[in-house]
Amino acid sequence: RNSTKECFDFIIDELKACAEGLPDSHSAEDLGRVTKGAAKAFLGRVFLFRASPQFNPNNNNEHWQTAYNYNKETLNYLIGQGHALYDDYGKLFLDEMNKEVIFAIRYENPTRTQKRDATVRPITFSMNNTGGNHPTQEVIDRFPTIDGGTYTYADWEKEGKDIFALWENRDKRFYATIVYQGVTYFNTVMELNENAQNDYAYGKNVGSKTGYYSRKAIDESLSVTDCQKSGTDYIDIRLAEVMLNYAEAVFERDGQISDEDLAISLNLTRKRINPEMPDLTNDFVTANNLDMRTEIRRERTIEFFDENFRIDDLKRWKTAEDEM
């Protein structure tokens, strides 16, 4: 087998060559083909992985410096090309090839379709597939409250409040991401408790395993039949990732991150639809007895929930043994 270093060197050389040869953009008929920005953003992801504990057990700071340099350069390049965070987090995944998308796997009904909608939707609103990717309570607990605090299942148990208190006043990305008891979904008030008289509730044979469903990137306009052949693109790289790659590289390189660096990265994703949420600053972290590394990782977990990042992040951070 080739060594880890040889593998990384090969991938890096290939992506650098691609970034050199690819165009900045494509015309409308070729929209979605790989661009220079896509190659650069993917390379920034590779540098972040190489610097992480899984592949950098001795914490060679040069790798973090490289990850920082490249993600900073790429972020500036992409913004210069007109990329920006999309204002509506819920519609981000349905408004195809919007300004945040760097690279997407494209679908179009009827020529090329995917079944993700069908596999994620509750059985009542699906056909032949149902209910993949059930969020756990642990996922819900990670979403901060709108004042930047935390509220967990354990907190709720201690207080003895109504169950709906678990889902009140959360980061607004929660409501674009999670289907929970009492929320309207597919024009239906969702009854997910185990005593509900439907096929999709908690504990039912083909119901939710956790009492929750995932809402992200699900097109509620698709009929039960058409959800088997969705034409919704799958976003593989978006600007928010480059921003959070940058924030993580800054912190891990220095063991700290300035409020200025947070302002151009994590706080932009945090506040895109949460303008009332306080900025995550060093003073805020100190005043609320938080840990900056934990908060940087929390932001990544929330922002990219159900986008195929989590298991690889747990592996590269070498926290999978504890988290799982």
Side-chain angles (χ1 to χ4, degrees), residues 6 11 113 137 189 193 238 242:
E6 289 171 327
I11 294 168
T113 61
Q137 184 60 46
V189 176
N193 55 293
R238 53 190 179 93
V242 184

Side-chain angles (χ1 to χ4, degrees), residues 72-261:
K72 181 179 182 180
E73 174 193 323
T74 298
L75 183 58
N76 290 336
Y77 166 81
L78 292 170
I79 292 172
Q81 290 295 309
H83 289 286
L85 294 180
Y86 192 71
D87 296 336
D88 190 322
Y89 185 79
K91 293 181 180 178
L92 159 65
F93 307 95
L94 301 175
D95 186 1
E96 297 177 337
M97 301 307 294
N98 63 68
K99 61 186 179 180
E100 186 169 338
V101 177
I102 310 301
F103 178 68
I105 300 170
R106 305 218 66 190
Y107 294 94
E108 185 176 8
N109 189 1
T111 54
R112 187 179 190 226
T113 61
Q114 45 93 347
K115 294 183 179 180
R116 180 181 179 276
D117 280 78
T119 61
V120 172
R121 289 157 61 135
I123 187 64
T124 302
F125 314 103
S126 185
M127 181 185 292
N128 299 330
N129 294 280
T130 185
N133 305 344
H134 299 158
T136 63
Q137 184 60 46
E138 184 181 21
V139 170
I140 278 68
D141 287 352
R142 289 195 188 101
F143 282 89
T145 50
I146 201 65
D147 62 1
T150 59
Y151 190 74
T152 68
Y153 186 84
D155 296 327
W156 169 79
E157 280 192 314
K158 289 177 185 176
E159 295 177 359
K161 291 183 177 180
D162 185 283
I163 186 66
F164 292 94
L166 269 174
W167 312 308
E168 293 173 349
N169 302 315
R170 294 279 184 175
D171 180 321
K172 291 177 183 176
R173 286 173 294 186
F174 172 82
Y175 304 105
T177 302
I178 306 296
V179 178
Y180 56 95
Q181 172 77 8
V183 74
T184 299
Y185 188 47
F186 290 104
N187 297 315
T188 303
V189 176
M190 301 300 288
E191 296 183 46
L192 298 173
N193 55 293
E194 59 186 336
N195 297 320
Q197 300 301 304
N198 61 58
D199 292 331
Y200 58 80
Y202 173 74
K204 300 297 191 286
N205 184 43
V206 286
S208 172
K209 308 298 185 199
T210 65
Y212 297 103
Y213 286 93
S214 176
R215 189 171 206 154
K216 180 181 280 189
I218 299 302
D219 186 351
E220 294 179 53
S221 71
L222 289 178
S223 69
V224 168
T225 302
D226 287 344
C227 72
Q228 287 276 349
K229 47 188 178 183
S230 172
T232 302
D233 292 350
Y234 176 79
I235 303 173
D236 190 70
I237 305 175
R238 53 190 179 93
L239 188 68
E241 181 194 348
V242 184
M243 289 179 169
L244 295 186
N245 289 351
Y246 170 76
E248 183 177 341
V250 173
F251 179 81
E252 297 297 346
R253 180 194 65 168
D254 298 333
Q256 59 186 357
I257 182 170
S258 69
D259 292 345
E260 290 76 13
D261 282 319

Side-chain angles (χ1 to χ4, degrees), residues 45 236 241 300 304 307-314:
R45 183 191 292 179
D236 190 70
E241 181 194 348
R300 187 176 179 90
F304 301 130
E307 294 182 55
N308 287 331
F309 282 88
R310 183 64 174 164
I311 189 63
D312 288 326
D313 282 342
L314 292 179

